[in-house]
Amino acid sequence: MAALPLQEVTVTQLKGVGQALADRLARLGIHHLQDLLLHLPLRYEDRTRISPLGSLRVGSTAVIEGEVVNSHLGQGRRRSLLVRLRDATGSVGLRFFHFSASMKQQLQPGLRLRCYGEARPGASGLEFYHPEFQVLRDDLPPPPLEQQLTPVYPVTEGLQQKRLRQLVAQALDFLEQRPLDELLPASLLDQTHLQGLRSWSVNQALRYLHYPDCQADLEALAAGQHPAQKRLALEELLAQQLGMLLLRQKTREESAPPLTKSAGLLEQQLREGLPFALTGAQERVLAEINRDLTDPHPMLRLVQGDVGSGKTLVAALAALKALANGYQAALMAPTELLAEQHYHNLTAWLQPLGIQVDWLAGKMKGKQRQTALEQLALGETQLLVGTHALFQEEVVFSRLALVIIDEQHRFGVHQRLALRNKGGSEGLLPHQLVMTATPIPRTLAMSAYADLDVSVIDELPPGRKPVTTLALPDSRRPEVIARLRHACQEGRQAYWVCPLIEESEVLECQAAEVTCQELQEALPELKVALVHGRMKPADKGRIMQAFKEGEYQLLVATTVIEVGVDVPNASLMIIDNAERLGLAQLHQLRGRVGRGSTASFCTLIYHPPLSSQGRERLQAMRESSDGFYIAQKDLEIRGPGELLGTRQTGEIELRLANLKRDAHLLEGLRPLGERLLEEQPLLARQLLARWRGDSLRFSQV
Ligand code: ADP
Ligand code: MG
């Protein structure tokens, strides 16, 4: 084993590691010494110096020394032993809820202690609960302090911090003998925004992060902003990029039904039935999709388009191509409300062409469900619309060729992958079309969606009047209500959105109910309806449909209507507590109006005083209704993580990098990754192996 590189030396080679411990380490994803080295501390403890008691603040974590002044049993709800410790600068309490008689006996006045713990506000002033402590003996020199910061690692049951530290220390000794290869291409670090990382090698960074010196910038470390951390994060992000690119390559190598026939007559009929023509952007994106669909390999395409850009129609036309080739298509939406709306639209467009559209929701039971599933399996249903329910195992298609996923940010990669198995008997995978209204700046999209091709519908249908946006303090509510009355009397319709005020859906719904009552009382002549997230989907759907048909003039809602709901006659959007919402959400909500030909208004009601971020958000909303501008502002105000929605969590497992915090590192990684796969496949493999190890989940895909 002497010559093996650390990624091949198993942990059992370490002193004191038998099978049982190796199994525990495996639970942390640690199999080889390299994994152990990449198992980085969550945080650090500073045990390098003794803090004077008088300098402690609430929350200080510190080593302290002092003499026991007294010790007694504390009163209060839980019995505890309270020991008073004093030095020249002050005193603190040490509180123990678990203690033995001998411990009580030992902690007598005059005894000198060294402790480590966190200062909290207690009944007797600052107190350390259950500090680690050792007795200092007068006849011996005090034990030495640590020379470096002490790492605190993620651990698992049966594996103690101390044990893990010893193992990592052993691994670091190995590292001295056999440093890891430098895998980052030098050209990457030449970029100006990364020059600060040039002085760090992977080996130095690892060593430093396990044992930073006592002058280390703890704040930077805690925030993940230390150059040593960024150096490793960059490498990991590159590896992740490679993983996604590889996933995409693999998918491309699989087979899908080539949809070579054009939708011809059906498409012509559909187009002729529309009261409008497709925009240039819709045509362009549709052509991109159609080109992919003729391929005998699965399409993986993301369509980004601002709210109201007409993504649904593009999806319908893509589906039509699948159907014209004798296959089935599925369209999936994130909520029942949306799925139902799509079902209505698609039925209206496609049924006249003789196409069988059906609908499947999780709540569907019994006979109805049975029939839907049977018709699908027989191939009678040509287009199935629904929610997550489409992923379920019993849902069997006869010839599925295209899966369309709307509002992608709510679904994960894994859910998308689950649909692959529904391609039918020929061993073919369906093509995938993913649609999202979340406008993500291009470089970010390229990296975050490296496994997808991206098309952008960058044009709104003509004749859309920009939505006039106002921000008003709560004190001007009566004016808003008066304007609302006036507009509704002229035949227009309005939304009144009550966003989350408390962290609870129940409370949010109650707030919407109260607002609804108040508005109904203030506007007795109007027909007011309410939708919220706790209503049955069928009831929600019914109210939305009635609103769409003009039965109600005012719809009070929680943010359930955020995504996708389309009622062209609604031209007023009032958002209560607007300062509490993020820009992306505000933009989505505003996108519900401005869909018809009348001038639309969006009123943002806020409660002063505004935070500076709140003010910037409302300002950005007033400045522009362009989703990409808003996204750019959002990026500036909040940082990139939020824009990526759920994609940042879970599904992309990163050990150390964080897409949100480290988004600035993503720049240029995708083209670099593509180049590496092409020109230096061995290096690419090494990078992947280092960071993804044997947990390279995408390799099964
Ligand atoms: P989104 O991209 O937000 O999903 P939708 O697909 O819901 O947008 O479309 C918004 C509205 O615009 C719908 O009423 C749709 O019928 C209409 N629409 C779509 N394409 C066009 C077009 N080319 N010209 C005019 N209206 C269109
Ligand atoms: Mg939509």
Side-chain angles (χ1 to χ4, degrees):
M1 100 168 202
L4 283 179
L6 296 191
Q7 67 267 26
E8 291 172 33
V9 182
T10 57
V11 288
T12 48
Q13 304 288 331
L14 294 174
K15 265 182 267 148
V17 182
Q19 196 51 51
L21 186 51
D23 289 346
R24 281 174 207 151
L25 288 166
R27 267 191 256 144
L28 296 169
I30 300 172
H31 307 273
H32 297 98
L33 295 200
Q34 183 179 276
D35 303 326
L36 194 53
L37 291 169
L38 293 175
H39 191 70
L40 291 168
L42 290 170
R43 59 188 175 83
Y44 303 92
E45 292 174 349
D46 186 354
R47 296 167 183 255
T48 63
R49 62 205 161 82
I50 294 163
S51 301
L53 298 184
S55 73
L56 297 174
R57 302 277 169 274
V58 169
S60 315
T61 304
V63 181
I64 52 173
E65 271 185 17
E67 186 182 314
V68 175
V69 191
N70 60 51
S71 126
H72 62 269
L73 289 181
Q75 310 305 328
R77 265 180 304 155
R78 281 176 74 192
R79 207 171 80 104
S80 61
L81 177 66
L82 183 63
V83 176
R84 190 111 221 118
L85 197 71
R86 185 177 63 191
D87 72 1
T89 64
S91 77
V92 290
L94 312 177
R95 194 180 288 275
F96 299 91
F97 292 102
H98 309 279
F99 55 93
S100 59
S102 65
M103 192 170 134
K104 184 167 164 249
Q105 192 60 40
Q106 186 192 20
L107 295 173
Q108 289 301 323
L111 192 72
R112 289 180 38 78
L113 298 178
R114 181 184 288 175
C115 309
Y116 179 82
E118 182 189 343
R120 309 196 200 184
S124 70
L126 279 186
E127 290 181 2
F128 282 58
Y129 288 8
H130 282 282
E132 296 169 30
F133 71 91
Q134 61 189 136
V135 176
L136 298 175
R137 288 175 41 180
D138 294 333
D139 53 341
L140 292 177
L145 287 161
E146 300 288 341
Q147 297 298 304
Q148 292 159 315
L149 298 181
T150 308
V152 180
Y153 295 102
V155 287
T156 180
E157 214 183 306
L159 181 59
Q160 306 270 317
Q161 209 47 254
K162 218 166 131 186
R163 197 66 209 279
L164 197 50
R165 278 180 203 140
Q166 289 163 353
L167 297 179
V168 172
Q170 279 192 60
L172 286 168
D173 288 343
F174 273 90
L175 189 67
E176 290 300 319
Q177 313 300 320
R178 293 174 228 174
L180 301 186
D181 294 332
E182 288 303 327
L183 300 180
L184 268 195
S187 65
L188 179 61
L189 294 176
D190 284 343
Q191 297 181 68
T192 38
H193 71 293
L194 300 177
Q195 291 202 340
L197 310 185
R198 270 216 301 235
S199 52
W200 291 86
S201 73
V202 67
N203 295 292
Q204 284 170 322
L206 283 174
R207 232 173 280 130
Y208 189 84
L209 291 178
H210 284 292
Y211 286 100
D213 60 60
C214 55
Q215 276 96 51
D217 184 347
L218 270 177
E219 249 175 66
L221 283 169
Q225 297 296 333
H226 194 281
Q229 289 167 314
K230 288 196 189 181
R231 165 64 181 73
L232 295 180
L234 181 67
E235 193 177 312
E236 181 174 33
L237 288 172
L238 178 59
Q240 183 229 352
Q241 208 56 213
L242 290 168
M244 294 220 283
L245 289 169
L246 220 58
L247 165 68
R248 163 193 155 112
Q249 261 185 15
K250 278 214 155 76
T251 313
R252 291 279 142 63
E253 284 160 16
E254 311 229 39
S255 301
L259 306 175
T260 45
K261 268 190 258 168
S262 84
L265 206 58
L266 285 174
E267 179 168 340
Q268 200 185 326
Q269 262 179 288
L270 172 53
R271 283 173 181 261
E272 278 166 7
L274 294 173
F276 49 75
L278 265 66
T279 62
Q282 282 172 313
E283 294 285 10
R284 177 172 44 74
V285 170
L286 181 63
E288 286 167 359
I289 294 168
N290 280 338
R291 196 168 342 109
D292 286 356
L293 291 178
T294 55
D295 234 39
H297 304 290
M299 168 175 80
L300 273 180
R301 186 168 283 279
L302 175 77
V303 172
Q304 267 189 278
D306 206 349
V307 284
S309 61
K311 294 185 289 293
T312 320
L313 184 57
V314 172
L317 286 163
L320 211 52
K321 187 164 162 85
L323 312 189
N325 280 268
Y327 285 93
Q328 295 169 302
L331 188 151
M332 194 165 53
T335 64
E336 299 219 354
L337 188 60
L338 263 186
E340 219 169 290
Q341 179 184 291
H342 280 316
Y343 176 63
H344 280 292
N345 286 335
L346 291 165
T347 311
W349 284 331
L350 300 179
Q351 218 161 40
L353 316 182
I355 288 166
Q356 283 303 313
V357 187
D358 203 359
W359 149 261
L360 190 73
K363 303 264 155 51
M364 240 163 99
K365 291 275 139 60
K367 185 96 186 85
Q368 196 193 6
R369 180 182 178 83
Q370 205 50 44
T371 317
L373 290 178
E374 274 167 24
Q375 292 192 331
L376 186 70
L378 289 173
E380 280 167 26
T381 299
Q382 294 171 281
L383 173 60
L384 184 67
V385 182
T387 56
H388 303 74
L390 302 197
F391 291 124
Q392 290 164 349
E393 239 171 81
E394 324 84 86
V395 182
V396 178
F397 292 81
S398 107
R399 280 163 69 78
L400 179 65
L402 173 65
V403 174
I404 302 164
I405 300 177
D406 194 15
E407 304 300 351
Q408 187 265 347
H409 58 289
R410 304 232 171 155
F411 292 109
V413 166
H414 292 307
Q415 283 171 305
R416 284 202 346 246
L417 294 175
L419 273 173
R420 311 163 12 106
N421 308 322
K422 305 214 175 273
S425 52
E426 300 155 60
L428 299 176
L429 295 186
H431 297 282
Q432 286 189 34
L433 179 64
V434 178
M435 305 193 292
T436 175
T438 311
I440 300 168
R442 194 152 179 91
T443 47
L444 202 55
M446 292 255 291
S447 294
Y449 300 121
D451 53 336
L452 303 168
D453 291 311
V454 179
S455 293
V456 184
I457 307 185
D458 51 6
E459 180 187 355
L460 290 179
R464 294 272 166 86
K465 303 245 167 51
V467 180
T468 309
T469 302
L470 307 165
L472 296 175
D474 186 50
S475 55
R476 293 175 63 183
R477 219 179 175 80
E479 271 172 65
V480 178
I481 293 177
R483 217 182 296 181
L484 178 63
R485 171 184 291 120
H486 186 69
C488 289
Q489 279 166 348
E490 288 186 339
R492 296 201 265 160
Q493 289 173 287
Y495 298 98
W496 187 295
V497 179
C498 313
L500 200 65
I501 298 173
E502 311 277 341
E503 286 301 317
S504 137
E505 198 188 22
V506 181
L507 291 175
E508 181 184 36
C509 297
Q510 282 172 357
E513 269 161 21
V514 171
T515 306
C516 182
Q517 265 170 25
E518 285 170 4
L519 288 170
Q520 183 67 84
E521 277 160 27
L523 300 162
E525 69 278 27
L526 296 189
K527 290 223 174 81
V528 185
L530 172 69
V531 284
H532 60 63
R534 287 167 59 83
M535 283 163 66
K536 289 210 188 85
D539 293 339
K540 263 191 296 196
R542 206 162 32 247
I543 291 179
M544 286 311 302
Q545 195 53 29
F547 183 61
K548 195 161 181 161
E549 283 160 13
E551 265 175 56
Y552 298 107
Q553 291 145 305
L554 176 61
L555 185 69
V556 179
T558 55
T559 47
V560 294
I561 61 151
E562 176 194 339
V563 195
V565 169
D566 183 38
V567 181
N569 190 49
S571 60
L572 262 77
M573 167 61 67
I574 296 148
I575 306 174
D576 229 339
N577 297 298
E579 77 279 8
R580 295 180 191 249
L581 292 178
L583 264 180
Q585 218 176 0
L586 288 171
H587 180 68
Q588 276 286 331
L589 285 169
R590 179 171 59 183
R592 300 308 112 216
V593 298
R595 301 184 152 235
S597 49
T598 41
S600 295
F601 292 87
C602 174
T603 305
L604 307 171
I605 302 180
Y606 64 87
H607 291 249
L610 282 176
S611 69
S612 69
Q613 286 205 1
R615 188 187 319 275
E616 282 180 67
R617 285 198 295 266
L618 298 186
Q619 178 64 22
M621 286 294 289
R622 296 212 321 259
E623 272 164 18
S624 174
S625 52
D626 172 355
F628 284 87
Y629 176 86
I630 298 279
Q632 191 56 44
K633 278 282 165 198
D634 208 13
L635 191 67
E636 288 163 22
I637 299 174
R638 283 203 298 184
E642 325 279 336
L643 295 182
L644 296 174
T646 58
R647 242 185 123 84
Q648 69 201 313
T649 57
E651 67 188 38
I652 301 172
E653 247 167 46
L654 293 165
R655 289 173 192 249
L656 157 103
N658 171 323
L659 280 186
K660 170 176 176 168
R661 189 186 62 208
D662 303 321
H664 61 289
L665 299 177
L666 287 172
E667 179 122 16
L669 285 192
R670 175 163 174 179
L672 175 66
E674 284 169 345
R675 227 173 31 244
L676 285 183
L677 281 179
E678 181 90 357
E679 295 165 11
Q680 291 172 271
L682 185 65
L683 183 68
R685 266 226 302 285
Q686 287 175 304
L687 268 166
L688 266 170
R690 177 174 293 172
W691 289 97
R692 314 303 291 267
D694 57 7
S695 67
L696 184 56
R697 300 174 298 142
F698 289 140
S699 65
Q700 287 99 46
V701 166

